[in-house]
Structures are given as structure tokens and as C-alpha cells.
Amino acid sequence: MTEKDIFVTYSTNIEKATRELLEKLDIEKEIPNKDAKIGLKPNLVIAATPEYGATTHTEIIRELISFLNDHGYHNIIIIESAWVGDSTERAFKVNNYKSFGVPLVDVKKDSYEKVTVKGLTMEISKTALNLDYLISLPVLKGHCQTLMTCALKNQKGLLSDRSKRQFHTWGLMKPIAALNAAIKADLILVDSICGDLDFEEGGNPVVTNRLLLAKDPVLLDTYAASLLGYDIADIEYIPLAHSFGVGSTDILNANIEVLSKPENVSMPQPTGACRSLAKYADANNACSACYASLMHALKRLKDEGIINRLDSKVAIGQGWKGKSTELGVGACTSCAKFNVKGCPPTAKAIYDTLSDLLF
Ligand code: SF4
């Protein structure tokens, strides 16, 4: 398998499809040392099971570990951190990760190394930096701020929570690209079984029953963006990662091989729900969890037909610290006349406050 390859398969049998893709690898050539320390990085952004469309299917992880074991690799760990505001340990528990029988590393409790790339200094998990081989297992799904999350953005779970927050103050795009220049996955196996096409925390899963395998995260994300109907210009961190030397956006020269594709499979497109709700927010360096809570609350207000009663935008984000405004959510907007407390606040707390104000 080369950096130019992207293998795709469609199946309702997740274990079989995972094995079918992994068989495309010359694993002994890929990882010559049988004692190599191999890290599996799933997406456990929140403590939810995969059918909600946010987290990696456990069948993929189980089959991957079995494949590695079958080829004599046993020095395997799972490494991840949930987003700011949720517990990785709870996410491990909800998904029964202990049953995999490999060590689980919660990055929130790890020690970190400060790494500077393109002028940005970030705290990256030391355990992750000391791996011999990193396999990323992202979920292909939508994201309220970056439109899409797949291979490149999945690396964010290798940061301290402090750096995750800081990424938002830096505008997300450049830091995501820079993070991948600091630590790049060696292999990416994408769970596109039922990702939510609008929200990274799931809730509206769209079944596509698809898995993808690639070595270049930039090429893979370029292809994934096209599957969601986006151009890479829409997702700034992809061309930036290319310009930082992480990989290539040259999709025209990629070798895309679809191993099996059932009849009548078409890719549903994101609804654009986030974009239409974003006009009610005045976001200034908002963290993902905070922003997602606001989007969910706004969606409820929209569904109830009262969102148009909002006569001022809702302030959100770290850029609002110390600034006065009418209405704000989260600790960063504590100077607002009406403020929803929390860091991050829950969608319910935001909804309760906004609906009280609107009635
Ligand atoms: S209040 Fe929201 S935007 Fe501010 S630091 Fe907390 S999570 Fe981030």
C-alpha cells in the first residue's frame, strides 16, 4: 500500500469489511518490528455508543486488534481523550473498551511534551509521541465549525485539554494542520458506517455502511470532503496541511479502489443545519463542545418556531472574556447581562435560559 492509495468498501458486516481492507496492507513491511508499540486512536469525542453517529464502532477496533495479533503484534494500546467537558474514562466504559484486553490511555491524564510547529506551541501526549506506529480510527462526520471531521482533525484527541481550548483561540484551521505536522498517523481506517453529517457529537446518524483505508491523512480528507459535497477550499486545514508537508491534496493522481459497493449507494449530503443556525451566534474563539451545545439549543428553538424572536445574537467563546454584551453562553461570557453558566454549558441549560427569555 502506498501514500497514493485509498481503499473503500461498503458492507453491513463491519468485521468482514475491516478485515477485507486490512488484507490490502503488507503489514510485515508496514511494521517490520513485531515488538513495535502500536497505538490505536479512535474517536471518542463524547461518552456515547457508535449508533449515535459520533464514535468509532467497536467492531472495527476488535477486528483490527485481532488482525494485528494474528500477525504477531501484541504491544498495542488504545489512546484517546474526549472533548473538553466530557470524560474519556466514561467513554471507554460506555463502549466497554476494557473487553479489548489492551491498555487504555486517557490523554487527559497523560503527561505532555510542548511541541512548536509554525509558531504554535501545543501540548501533545508523551505516550502518543513515543509510539512506533499510530493507527487513526476517525469517524467521517460533520462539524459545526470546520464543516467536516475525519483523519486530520482526529489527532486533536492527542492534545491536553488546555491545548484543545487554545486551538479555538487560534481559529482551529492552522493548528489542526500544524498538529498533523507534529504527529501524523501512519495509517487511517475510517469509520463511515453512520456518521452524523452535521454535528461531531452525533444525534442524527446517517447510515452509509462504508469503511476507508489510507496512509496519507491529507489525501484521505480531500477525498472524504468530496464525499460530503465539500471542496477542500471549504475546509481550510486540508490545503494548509498540504502546504505544511503533511501529505498531498492531489486527488486526481490518487489510486482510489472501491473493493465492494452495493447497488444504489449514494452519499447523503449534510443538511447545512449548522450554517443556518450560526447566524444567531456571535462566536469568537468558541470551543467545540460549547458551540455544539449552543447549536443544539438553537435547533430546538427553531423546531419550536420561536427562534426568530431572538433580537440579539448569542455571544459565545473565549474572545468574549471580560467584554459586556446582552446575551452570552458559557463562563467566557460571564460579563453578559444574561449569561448561561458552565464551561461548557449544556445544551439544556442554554435552551432553558433562551426559551425563558423568548416567552
Ligand atoms: S465557556 Fe465555552 S468557549 Fe469558554 S472556555 Fe469554556 S467551553 Fe470554551
Side-chain angles (χ1 to χ4, degrees), residues 71-91:
H71 289 82
Y73 303 96
H74 296 278
N75 192 3
I76 302 164
I77 64 163
I78 293 176
I79 182 164
E80 170 62 322
S81 69
W83 70 4
V84 177
D86 210 335
S87 152
T88 318
E89 293 200 340
R90 210 159 62 87

PDB file of all heavy atoms in Angstrom, residues 71-91:
ATOM      1  N   HIS A  71      -0.977 -11.473  13.205  1.00  0.00           N
ATOM      2  CA  HIS A  71       0.313 -11.275  12.523  1.00  0.00           C
ATOM      3  C   HIS A  71       1.457 -11.097  13.518  1.00  0.00           C
ATOM      4  O   HIS A  71       2.555 -10.659  13.144  1.00  0.00           O
ATOM      5  CB  HIS A  71       0.242 -10.076  11.567  1.00  0.00           C
ATOM      6  CG  HIS A  71      -0.599 -10.368  10.358  1.00  0.00           C
ATOM      7  ND1 HIS A  71      -1.974 -10.273  10.356  1.00  0.00           N
ATOM      8  CD2 HIS A  71      -0.258 -10.796   9.102  1.00  0.00           C
ATOM      9  CE1 HIS A  71      -2.436 -10.602   9.166  1.00  0.00           C
ATOM     10  NE2 HIS A  71      -1.420 -10.928   8.382  1.00  0.00           N
ATOM     11  N   GLY A  72       1.207 -11.403  14.788  1.00  0.00           N
ATOM     12  CA  GLY A  72       2.299 -11.422  15.776  1.00  0.00           C
ATOM     13  C   GLY A  72       2.558 -10.116  16.495  1.00  0.00           C
ATOM     14  O   GLY A  72       3.576  -9.969  17.170  1.00  0.00           O
ATOM     15  N   TYR A  73       1.649  -9.143  16.358  1.00  0.00           N
ATOM     16  CA  TYR A  73       1.821  -7.857  17.056  1.00  0.00           C
ATOM     17  C   TYR A  73       0.943  -7.855  18.310  1.00  0.00           C
ATOM     18  O   TYR A  73      -0.278  -8.034  18.212  1.00  0.00           O
ATOM     19  CB  TYR A  73       1.416  -6.688  16.147  1.00  0.00           C
ATOM     20  CG  TYR A  73       2.180  -6.651  14.845  1.00  0.00           C
ATOM     21  CD1 TYR A  73       1.649  -7.222  13.688  1.00  0.00           C
ATOM     22  CD2 TYR A  73       3.434  -6.048  14.767  1.00  0.00           C
ATOM     23  CE1 TYR A  73       2.344  -7.203  12.490  1.00  0.00           C
ATOM     24  CE2 TYR A  73       4.141  -6.024  13.566  1.00  0.00           C
ATOM     25  CZ  TYR A  73       3.588  -6.606  12.441  1.00  0.00           C
ATOM     26  OH  TYR A  73       4.284  -6.578  11.256  1.00  0.00           O
ATOM     27  N   HIS A  74       1.572  -7.662  19.448  1.00  0.00           N
ATOM     28  CA  HIS A  74       0.813  -7.715  20.708  1.00  0.00           C
ATOM     29  C   HIS A  74       1.042  -6.488  21.579  1.00  0.00           C
ATOM     30  O   HIS A  74       0.391  -6.351  22.610  1.00  0.00           O
ATOM     31  CB  HIS A  74       1.170  -8.985  21.493  1.00  0.00           C
ATOM     32  CG  HIS A  74       0.778 -10.238  20.756  1.00  0.00           C
ATOM     33  ND1 HIS A  74      -0.509 -10.752  20.785  1.00  0.00           N
ATOM     34  CD2 HIS A  74       1.493 -11.052  19.938  1.00  0.00           C
ATOM     35  CE1 HIS A  74      -0.567 -11.826  20.017  1.00  0.00           C
ATOM     36  NE2 HIS A  74       0.633 -12.033  19.493  1.00  0.00           N
ATOM     37  N   ASN A  75       1.978  -5.622  21.186  1.00  0.00           N
ATOM     38  CA  ASN A  75       2.276  -4.435  22.001  1.00  0.00           C
ATOM     39  C   ASN A  75       1.371  -3.281  21.528  1.00  0.00           C
ATOM     40  O   ASN A  75       1.797  -2.367  20.832  1.00  0.00           O
ATOM     41  CB  ASN A  75       3.765  -4.088  21.834  1.00  0.00           C
ATOM     42  CG  ASN A  75       4.229  -3.063  22.848  1.00  0.00           C
ATOM     43  OD1 ASN A  75       3.463  -2.639  23.727  1.00  0.00           O
ATOM     44  ND2 ASN A  75       5.480  -2.657  22.741  1.00  0.00           N
ATOM     45  N   ILE A  76       0.104  -3.379  21.912  1.00  0.00           N
ATOM     46  CA  ILE A  76      -0.924  -2.476  21.372  1.00  0.00           C
ATOM     47  C   ILE A  76      -1.584  -1.708  22.518  1.00  0.00           C
ATOM     48  O   ILE A  76      -1.895  -2.293  23.561  1.00  0.00           O
ATOM     49  CB  ILE A  76      -2.019  -3.294  20.637  1.00  0.00           C
ATOM     50  CG1 ILE A  76      -1.400  -4.117  19.504  1.00  0.00           C
ATOM     51  CG2 ILE A  76      -3.124  -2.380  20.096  1.00  0.00           C
ATOM     52  CD1 ILE A  76      -2.309  -5.221  18.983  1.00  0.00           C
ATOM     53  N   ILE A  77      -1.800  -0.411  22.308  1.00  0.00           N
ATOM     54  CA  ILE A  77      -2.578   0.373  23.274  1.00  0.00           C
ATOM     55  C   ILE A  77      -3.686   1.130  22.531  1.00  0.00           C
ATOM     56  O   ILE A  77      -3.605   1.316  21.316  1.00  0.00           O
ATOM     57  CB  ILE A  77      -1.715   1.403  24.053  1.00  0.00           C
ATOM     58  CG1 ILE A  77      -1.124   2.459  23.093  1.00  0.00           C
ATOM     59  CG2 ILE A  77      -0.615   0.730  24.858  1.00  0.00           C
ATOM     60  CD1 ILE A  77      -0.614   3.705  23.801  1.00  0.00           C
ATOM     61  N   ILE A  78      -4.687   1.544  23.283  1.00  0.00           N
ATOM     62  CA  ILE A  78      -5.694   2.471  22.741  1.00  0.00           C
ATOM     63  C   ILE A  78      -5.481   3.804  23.442  1.00  0.00           C
ATOM     64  O   ILE A  78      -5.345   3.851  24.671  1.00  0.00           O
ATOM     65  CB  ILE A  78      -7.122   1.942  22.981  1.00  0.00           C
ATOM     66  CG1 ILE A  78      -7.351   0.679  22.143  1.00  0.00           C
ATOM     67  CG2 ILE A  78      -8.161   3.011  22.639  1.00  0.00           C
ATOM     68  CD1 ILE A  78      -8.689   0.008  22.364  1.00  0.00           C
ATOM     69  N   ILE A  79      -5.428   4.870  22.671  1.00  0.00           N
ATOM     70  CA  ILE A  79      -5.128   6.185  23.237  1.00  0.00           C
ATOM     71  C   ILE A  79      -6.143   7.202  22.724  1.00  0.00           C
ATOM     72  O   ILE A  79      -6.428   7.269  21.526  1.00  0.00           O
ATOM     73  CB  ILE A  79      -3.669   6.589  22.895  1.00  0.00           C
ATOM     74  CG1 ILE A  79      -3.336   7.942  23.522  1.00  0.00           C
ATOM     75  CG2 ILE A  79      -3.384   6.573  21.408  1.00  0.00           C
ATOM     76  CD1 ILE A  79      -1.847   8.219  23.548  1.00  0.00           C
ATOM     77  N   GLU A  80      -6.726   7.995  23.641  1.00  0.00           N
ATOM     78  CA  GLU A  80      -7.755   8.947  23.220  1.00  0.00           C
ATOM     79  C   GLU A  80      -8.078   9.911  24.359  1.00  0.00           C
ATOM     80  O   GLU A  80      -7.766   9.642  25.535  1.00  0.00           O
ATOM     81  CB  GLU A  80      -9.019   8.166  22.797  1.00  0.00           C
ATOM     82  CG  GLU A  80     -10.290   8.964  22.554  1.00  0.00           C
ATOM     83  CD  GLU A  80     -10.219   9.998  21.420  1.00  0.00           C
ATOM     84  OE1 GLU A  80      -9.163  10.637  21.263  1.00  0.00           O
ATOM     85  OE2 GLU A  80     -11.226  10.188  20.740  1.00  0.00           O
ATOM     86  N   SER A  81      -8.676  11.037  24.022  1.00  0.00           N
ATOM     87  CA  SER A  81      -9.321  11.877  25.033  1.00  0.00           C
ATOM     88  C   SER A  81     -10.617  12.430  24.476  1.00  0.00           C
ATOM     89  O   SER A  81     -10.690  12.807  23.301  1.00  0.00           O
ATOM     90  CB  SER A  81      -8.414  13.017  25.492  1.00  0.00           C
ATOM     91  OG  SER A  81      -8.231  13.955  24.471  1.00  0.00           O
ATOM     92  N   ALA A  82     -11.644  12.438  25.317  1.00  0.00           N
ATOM     93  CA  ALA A  82     -12.927  13.023  24.936  1.00  0.00           C
ATOM     94  C   ALA A  82     -12.770  14.536  24.845  1.00  0.00           C
ATOM     95  O   ALA A  82     -11.766  15.096  25.304  1.00  0.00           O
ATOM     96  CB  ALA A  82     -13.988  12.654  25.973  1.00  0.00           C
ATOM     97  N   TRP A  83     -13.758  15.205  24.290  1.00  0.00           N
ATOM     98  CA  TRP A  83     -13.640  16.659  24.177  1.00  0.00           C
ATOM     99  C   TRP A  83     -13.712  17.323  25.545  1.00  0.00           C
ATOM    100  O   TRP A  83     -14.062  16.680  26.543  1.00  0.00           O
ATOM    101  CB  TRP A  83     -14.647  17.235  23.187  1.00  0.00           C
ATOM    102  CG  TRP A  83     -16.106  17.225  23.553  1.00  0.00           C
ATOM    103  CD1 TRP A  83     -16.672  16.823  24.748  1.00  0.00           C
ATOM    104  CD2 TRP A  83     -17.198  17.645  22.734  1.00  0.00           C
ATOM    105  NE1 TRP A  83     -18.027  16.964  24.704  1.00  0.00           N
ATOM    106  CE2 TRP A  83     -18.391  17.474  23.488  1.00  0.00           C
ATOM    107  CE3 TRP A  83     -17.295  18.154  21.447  1.00  0.00           C
ATOM    108  CZ2 TRP A  83     -19.652  17.789  22.990  1.00  0.00           C
ATOM    109  CZ3 TRP A  83     -18.561  18.461  20.958  1.00  0.00           C
ATOM    110  CH2 TRP A  83     -19.712  18.282  21.718  1.00  0.00           C
ATOM    111  N   VAL A  84     -13.358  18.592  25.599  1.00  0.00           N
ATOM    112  CA  VAL A  84     -13.372  19.344  26.853  1.00  0.00           C
ATOM    113  C   VAL A  84     -14.800  19.319  27.401  1.00  0.00           C
ATOM    114  O   VAL A  84     -15.737  19.692  26.701  1.00  0.00           O
ATOM    115  CB  VAL A  84     -12.927  20.811  26.622  1.00  0.00           C
ATOM    116  CG1 VAL A  84     -13.022  21.605  27.920  1.00  0.00           C
ATOM    117  CG2 VAL A  84     -11.520  20.865  26.055  1.00  0.00           C
ATOM    118  N   GLY A  85     -14.930  18.847  28.647  1.00  0.00           N
ATOM    119  CA  GLY A  85     -16.270  18.796  29.229  1.00  0.00           C
ATOM    120  C   GLY A  85     -16.826  17.402  29.339  1.00  0.00           C
ATOM    121  O   GLY A  85     -17.830  17.185  30.006  1.00  0.00           O
ATOM    122  N   ASP A  86     -16.190  16.404  28.666  1.00  0.00           N
ATOM    123  CA  ASP A  86     -16.650  15.023  28.843  1.00  0.00           C
ATOM    124  C   ASP A  86     -15.481  14.175  29.338  1.00  0.00           C
ATOM    125  O   ASP A  86     -14.319  14.589  29.281  1.00  0.00           O
ATOM    126  CB  ASP A  86     -17.236  14.450  27.547  1.00  0.00           C
ATOM    127  CG  ASP A  86     -18.336  13.411  27.833  1.00  0.00           C
ATOM    128  OD1 ASP A  86     -18.318  12.809  28.938  1.00  0.00           O
ATOM    129  OD2 ASP A  86     -19.203  13.199  26.972  1.00  0.00           O
ATOM    130  N   SER A  87     -15.823  12.998  29.848  1.00  0.00           N
ATOM    131  CA  SER A  87     -14.827  12.131  30.469  1.00  0.00           C
ATOM    132  C   SER A  87     -14.436  10.998  29.523  1.00  0.00           C
ATOM    133  O   SER A  87     -15.304  10.247  29.053  1.00  0.00           O
ATOM    134  CB  SER A  87     -15.414  11.559  31.769  1.00  0.00           C
ATOM    135  OG  SER A  87     -14.850  10.316  32.070  1.00  0.00           O
ATOM    136  N   THR A  88     -13.139  10.861  29.256  1.00  0.00           N
ATOM    137  CA  THR A  88     -12.658   9.763  28.399  1.00  0.00           C
ATOM    138  C   THR A  88     -12.956   8.430  29.072  1.00  0.00           C
ATOM    139  O   THR A  88     -13.344   7.461  28.415  1.00  0.00           O
ATOM    140  CB  THR A  88     -11.137   9.879  28.177  1.00  0.00           C
ATOM    141  OG1 THR A  88     -10.788  11.233  27.941  1.00  0.00           O
ATOM    142  CG2 THR A  88     -10.684   9.013  27.022  1.00  0.00           C
ATOM    143  N   GLU A  89     -12.762   8.386  30.396  1.00  0.00           N
ATOM    144  CA  GLU A  89     -12.967   7.112  31.099  1.00  0.00           C
ATOM    145  C   GLU A  89     -14.421   6.658  30.985  1.00  0.00           C
ATOM    146  O   GLU A  89     -14.697   5.473  30.839  1.00  0.00           O
ATOM    147  CB  GLU A  89     -12.548   7.258  32.557  1.00  0.00           C
ATOM    148  CG  GLU A  89     -11.039   7.465  32.633  1.00  0.00           C
ATOM    149  CD  GLU A  89     -10.445   7.144  33.976  1.00  0.00           C
ATOM    150  OE1 GLU A  89     -11.215   7.116  34.961  1.00  0.00           O
ATOM    151  OE2 GLU A  89      -9.228   6.941  34.024  1.00  0.00           O
ATOM    152  N   ARG A  90     -15.314   7.623  31.045  1.00  0.00           N
ATOM    153  CA  ARG A  90     -16.732   7.280  30.881  1.00  0.00           C
ATOM    154  C   ARG A  90     -16.974   6.768  29.450  1.00  0.00           C
ATOM    155  O   ARG A  90     -17.720   5.822  29.231  1.00  0.00           O
ATOM    156  CB  ARG A  90     -17.592   8.524  31.159  1.00  0.00           C
ATOM    157  CG  ARG A  90     -18.967   8.209  31.714  1.00  0.00           C
ATOM    158  CD  ARG A  90     -19.537   9.408  32.437  1.00  0.00           C
ATOM    159  NE  ARG A  90     -19.720  10.546  31.577  1.00  0.00           N
ATOM    160  CZ  ARG A  90     -20.808  10.776  30.835  1.00  0.00           C
ATOM    161  NH1 ARG A  90     -21.813   9.935  30.880  1.00  0.00           N
ATOM    162  NH2 ARG A  90     -20.902  11.848  30.078  1.00  0.00           N
ATOM    163  N   ALA A  91     -16.314   7.401  28.494  1.00  0.00           N
ATOM    164  CA  ALA A  91     -16.456   6.981  27.088  1.00  0.00           C
ATOM    165  C   ALA A  91     -15.903   5.564  26.892  1.00  0.00           C
ATOM    166  O   ALA A  91     -16.500   4.747  26.193  1.00  0.00           O
ATOM    167  CB  ALA A  91     -15.740   7.965  26.172  1.00  0.00           C
TER     168      ALA A  91
END
